[in-house]
Amino acid sequence: MSDNLSRDLYSALCAIPLIDPHSHIDPISPVSRSLDDILGYHYYTELAHSAGMSQEPLRRETAPRDRVRAILGHMGRFDNTTQYSWFVDIAREFLGFTGERVTVADTDALFDAAQRAFAQPDWEKQVFAKSKLEAIFLTNEFDDSLDGFDASKYIPCLRTDSLVFHLDKPKIRERLADATGVQVGDAQSLRKAIWKLFARFKAKGAKACAISLPPDFEPVRIADSELDRAIKALAGDSTLAKAVFGGVQFAKSIAGTASHADESPLAAVSLGVFWMLAEHCREFELPFDLMIGVNRKVYEAGVYQGQDLFDRRTSLIKYRDLFNAFPEVTFPISVLTSGQNQELVAYSWIFPNVIPNGHWWYSNIPAYIRRDLGERLQAVPKTKLIGYYSDAYKLEFVLPKYNMYRRVLAETLADEFVRPKRFSETEAVALGKRLLRDNVREVFGV
Amino acid sequence: MSDNLSRDLYSALCAIPLIDPHSHIDPISPVSRSLDDILGYHYYTELAHSAGMSQEPLRRETAPRDRVRAILGHMGRFDNTTQYSWFVDIAREFLGFTGERVTVADTDALFDAAQRAFAQPDWEKQVFAKSKLEAIFLTNEFDDSLDGFDASKYIPCLRTDSLVFHLDKPKIRERLADATGVQVGDAQSLRKAIWKLFARFKAKGAKACAISLPPDFEPVRIADSELDRAIKALAGDSTLAKAVFGGVQFAKSIAGTASHADESPLAAVSLGVFWMLAEHCREFELPFDLMIGVNRKVYEAGVYQGQDLFDRRTSLIKYRDLFNAFPEVTFPISVLTSGQNQELVAYSWIFPNVIPNGHWWYSNIPAYIRRDLGERLQAVPKTKLIGYYSDAYKLEFVLPKYNMYRRVLAETLADEFVRPKRFSETEAVALGKRLLRDNVREVFGV
Amino acid sequence: MSDNLSRDLYSALCAIPLIDPHSHIDPISPVSRSLDDILGYHYYTELAHSAGMSQEPLRRETAPRDRVRAILGHMGRFDNTTQYSWFVDIAREFLGFTGERVTVADTDALFDAAQRAFAQPDWEKQVFAKSKLEAIFLTNEFDDSLDGFDASKYIPCLRTDSLVFHLDKPKIRERLADATGVQVGDAQSLRKAIWKLFARFKAKGAKACAISLPPDFEPVRIADSELDRAIKALAGDSTLAKAVFGGVQFAKSIAGTASHADESPLAAVSLGVFWMLAEHCREFELPFDLMIGVNRKVYEAGVYQGQDLFDRRTSLIKYRDLFNAFPEVTFPISVLTSGQNQELVAYSWIFPNVIPNGHWWYSNIPAYIRRDLGERLQAVPKTKLIGYYSDAYKLEFVLPKYNMYRRVLAETLADEFVRPKRFSETEAVALGKRLLRDNVREVFGV
């Protein structure tokens, strides 16, 4: 930190226990078992590959130690990045690393240190303690078992991408039938199945429903009869599908325009299921996390989880019908690009049910966090700002990612609130606590 | 202010008398009559509502003091915002408030202080003096009376949204007939009516024509014969309308593409009237203020004036025909989003008749002002930069809003010009004066 | 520079010899012959014109000294701009100017000083030495002579705009026939002609192929048979053209959508030629510089080279097919707007063959450079960052433009790397050297 005030604020913010409102943690295996789990995180495999590493070392057959060596061997090419800084933080905080820079020469020492550290029987507990982590949200498939873990620490969250975008796949419909006992064949059975999912998740302590959405998605309400025909078409009779969904006509009929739909039963089902999810969020009083803007599999030959990019030309105006139709549902919104932050600020300033949520993926680096956070703090009520989530796959990432965020937050509070004498230091820390903790508790009812 | 240089520059900038080139002031009732007028400003009702206040207190039946209490009761939820800072400034500058933070406990004291202050017979004069305000532009409906006030202090400006977008409403056509004595039934009578409006406004001292435009608006010239048919259709024979405007054909015929028009007579009339306004700006030598990018009534259940948002996917390329067709007309351009600022900078750098105008609405907070101003100052001739306007509904807002702007301007001049030794302090203040005053005088001929 | 650390870094960066990877230098006449060559640069004529100068002084008949006087006479209106700062730098570095500000009163002194300086027989050598310039890339038309200059200092680069976008013009087809001895009449002869161009350029030391692209361009592969028909249509039989390319049908057939093509043979040829160029970049192992986002002749009455603007609504998603199809080709990408920088960062982070290239045109001012550079440094491997190119028309511009960039780079390294103790000063300078020199050498094989 560059100055005393920021340092003091940073220390104070670090003392606040965290509730992390979005991650991909597996509650059965929440911590890393080897350094391979850390460096296998797609942020590292992507950057190593982008900087010239072949995908050879990423194959299953490669020994973990060799894979780690390969990635560390390329790290010198991206030691300028924020992602590299996270890794150095992990090495320092969890592996006793004391050097200035991590290089390939550290492979064995770090790998072995990780083996020792991660093998400790109370490692999970240690990570929780070091990270001052109180609870962390999961990302659960609709048919995930929600047993075998403490749901007050690992908070279930119903992730719904597959329901909305992949109901054309027989495998998904089967899994849905297995999970609910309902064979989905029309709008009514679909509603029944979804109700059962929500009921189970709610009973198990779920605090949110969530989904990631492509940039061209535009939720609109479609008639039950349309949804009915679309599901029937998907689920079975392809002749009917052709007959019902042929041509521009259909897409126009469902929303008055063809732009949001692919003139296909799947598009209609996507719209129908999405709307139905919002209705269940209302009924079960769950916030609906929308993560807006990702295109899947853009780099087809990319590494695992390193294939997704985006089209920045998207707008929250597409969600106007949704926000208007569900005033009782809170929508924590993540946007993929900083360019969309001003819309997020303005929509949150106007709509009571729209709130900004963290800094997602390609926007999760200090340059964008600083800018987006600064804008949000100037124009959105502080009670509506969910500051950050880790998006972590392993618990060891919670600490370095939150540290990055807290550094930016501390500097922003120093520059924008304390130095201009708008807030005292105590008030600034209280504002930080709102973003880091209080709002998570209030919005999600934790 | 964080340093001496910025403070000095700020002081010097505060000494420059203001001509505010855009507001919604009612010249007959320019100042507030109670604190309710201040906190009834949509920025406060929006934020209070967005932060959880029901619209109950905003009903006409609620006593003003109770409404103020309700809004102040929610202000603690948005005391991080710039809008809150404006209010604290107003309380300090005009109401003798000396505390650190305004809370609901201050309701009665502030309400009563406002009653006393605003009741002073020379209050308007005091506000002018305290704000160093010399003159302020109005926003006049085409049939506003322009009598009963001093047009050298309250400068008329012909606002044309209703003419361009609502000529399908019989009420608007009636009002136009009343204002001009011309019953509009075709292109020729429309031209006559508009000429009369301009002649009257010009005679009364108007210095600009203005309009706000939705993000998908794309001005193109349409043939008089098309406009003629469109007006006839709007104004009367709906059978004719159907016949003339059916289908894609028409929209394509007016502009070679269907993208900008809704294939309707209203769309054609909008294009025709807009173009005609530009022609009259040329004839009457008035700048044409374009405020680009607002979608009306997005949040349908929002508070009064708190329903409008935007689609950030818009571009100045839509205005290429207009800028090329009217080299004699100056177009002061406001854009709604900071994301469009680079276009505004580039178009102003290239087109002699395009100039950047202030920081509008959702971009009117320091985060965006700082960025947009910095970009403009690096690449647009200084003689073309209109720095700021208040957009105020009551005169008491001119001072806090300009103070916010002057703070950003002072810091920008310090960081970008004086410290790198590009300008002396005197030169930097002169540059600030250009933005605050000189260019307003030159561009609008005040 | 505002502090010692930045100053030290700046000095160290200034000592690094430059290889400038993009310019419009004429190797036969690389330096200015009079001050008119300096101030005739479109950045000055544009700003003078935009600030009110008529185009009268820009006519060929005007004496150079008078033209210079006219432009200097308007410079006081844009002495706030970065472009003005470049000129002051040139006056100081090359013309012995010692004043604070350049005004019209300096016309004769500067003009005469320029005559003396530029007339020195070793002027070119002096400019190279003062600028620490080692080599500079050219922008060559496909039929440029590549003889008569030292290709290790003036590195040829095949610019392909005319091949992709103007093959409908008989003049271009004639020039292509003259340059290659191949009369292009179908896909096969086109391929042969392009192969010959690449072979000649490669033999003469070319290190890149380059093109500038409009914002709506979307490269897709079209079938050879389609290209064949399109070329035949362009090259000759217009009846056939009509027959083949009539209506929406064709455009849809080539890419499944009409959005990227104008339903014309030219659009099909553009797609076909572009794809063929990428194939030859692969075969000849040349990077393919893409400069994305310019619309030509937007301000129709603008000064020479001062008519081009843009539609910011564009996305790298349009290039997904290209990036996927050519993993062996490196694509150094320039984007016209800072708003597209996050896409450039993300695509470079994911795709091994996509790399960010400099700061182009309307983004070539410190406000955008600072922001874009900061983002790139946080998330793109340092081995993939080509920091800057001058885009200069005369060698005298290399120095002031690189100075501007080095100032921003020095401050960014100080603020983001050295002060937070992520890098030592030595490491920071090495990082700067990567951006300024090493990556140019490695990417282009210089």
Side-chain angles (χ1 to χ4, degrees), chain B residues 220-227 230 250 254-255 260 267-269 271-272 275:
Chain B
V220 289
R221 196 183 184 293
I222 68 167
D224 257 27
S225 57
E226 298 280 4
L227 178 58
F250 173 72
I254 56 174
H260 67 279
V269 167
L271 294 173
W275 205 263

Side-chain angles (χ1 to χ4, degrees), chain A residues 278-394:
Chain A
E279 290 167 342
H280 286 79
C281 284
R282 180 174 56 199
E283 181 176 346
F284 287 88
E285 298 184 347
L286 288 177
F288 196 176
D289 285 352
L290 307 183
M291 313 186 84
I292 295 173
V294 62
N295 287 119
R296 302 292 178 182
K297 297 196 194 303
V298 172
Y299 174 31
E300 297 153 11
V303 303
Y304 176 63
Q305 292 180 327
Q307 304 173 0
D308 307 336
L309 283 157
F310 54 89
D311 180 337
R312 69 194 179 97
R313 296 167 302 172
T314 185
S315 172
L316 289 180
I317 197 80
K318 293 164 179 270
Y319 293 81
R320 64 189 290 172
D321 284 2
L322 182 77
F323 299 153
N324 279 304
F326 295 96
E328 313 87 345
V329 177
T330 300
F331 295 98
I333 309 275
S334 298
V335 291
L336 195 54
T337 64
S338 180
Q340 213 181 346
N341 194 59
Q342 189 171 8
E343 281 193 350
L344 184 52
V345 165
Y347 281 70
S348 301
W349 154 355
I350 294 299
F351 278 101
N353 54 338
V354 174
I355 66 176
N357 188 16
H359 302 272
W360 188 36
W361 202 337
Y362 293 111
S363 289
N364 186 26
I365 57 172
Y368 300 119
I369 296 173
R370 175 73 202 237
R371 190 186 315 156
D372 297 348
L373 173 63
E375 299 171 9
R376 294 178 193 177
L377 279 171
Q378 285 185 359
V380 181
K382 68 186 182 192
T383 49
K384 298 183 71 181
L385 296 170
I386 296 183
Y388 196 69
Y389 49 75
S390 72
D391 216 350
Y393 283 73
K394 292 292 174 188

Side-chain angles (χ1 to χ4, degrees), chain B residues 295-362:
Chain B
N295 286 120
R296 301 291 178 182
K297 297 194 194 303
V298 172
Y299 175 32
E300 296 154 11
V303 303
Y304 176 63
Q305 292 179 325
Q307 305 173 0
D308 307 336
L309 282 158
F310 55 88
D311 181 337
R312 69 195 179 97
R313 296 167 302 172
T314 184
S315 172
L316 289 180
I317 197 78
K318 293 164 178 269
Y319 293 81
R320 63 188 290 171
D321 286 0
L322 182 76
F323 298 154
N324 278 303
F326 295 96
E328 313 87 346
V329 177
T330 300
F331 295 98
I333 309 276
S334 298
V335 290
L336 196 53
T337 64
S338 180
Q340 212 180 348
N341 194 59
Q342 190 172 7
E343 281 193 349
L344 184 52
V345 165
Y347 280 70
S348 301
W349 154 354
I350 294 297
F351 278 100
N353 55 336
V354 174
I355 66 177
N357 188 15
H359 301 273
W360 188 35
W361 203 337
Y362 292 111

